[in-house]
Amino acid sequence: MQKQSSLKPPLVPDPQCTDFIVLCEPFLLGGDSPVWRFWCPYCRHHHTHGVGEGGRVPHCTDRGTPNPYTRNGQYYLKLDPRFA
């Protein structure tokens, strides 16, 4: 079982766009590949995506129910200001 990140998953609507904003922490995947990571409250696992702000398709879309933390089938990643 994966250990939960220290980040609380702030998946909140952004009035400026149609996606939910996800604040991420920097993480080294495999020890040397930089990615952004966050804890997903929907599937209760970490998700990793390539570094960079922008829209992403969630990895947990195969659960049989719509992911309530997405709009238009994606969410919007931003780096948590604590790591900037």
Side-chain angles (χ1 to χ4, degrees):
M1 175 173 265
Q2 293 180 338
K3 183 179 176 190
Q4 184 171 351
S5 168
S6 61
L7 293 176
K8 295 199 182 336
L11 298 154
V12 295
D14 179 358
Q16 300 297 318
C17 68
T18 60
D19 304 323
F20 278 80
I21 293 176
V22 179
L23 296 182
C24 301
E25 63 185 347
F27 185 74
L28 289 177
L29 192 63
D32 60 353
S33 298
V35 294
W36 282 3
R37 176 176 88 158
F38 70 94
W39 182 257
C40 178
Y42 177 65
C43 69
R44 297 187 201 118
H45 289 92
H46 279 111
H47 289 288
T48 58
H49 289 279
V51 173
E53 188 172 306
R56 302 292 198 289
V57 175
H59 295 172
C60 57
T61 57
D62 61 346
R63 295 179 49 111
T65 59
N67 184 328
Y69 302 107
T70 63
R71 289 190 176 162
N72 299 319
Q74 66 178 12
Y75 41 61
Y76 192 88
L77 300 185
K78 286 189 175 185
L79 182 63
D80 187 307
R82 295 179 295 173
F83 300 102

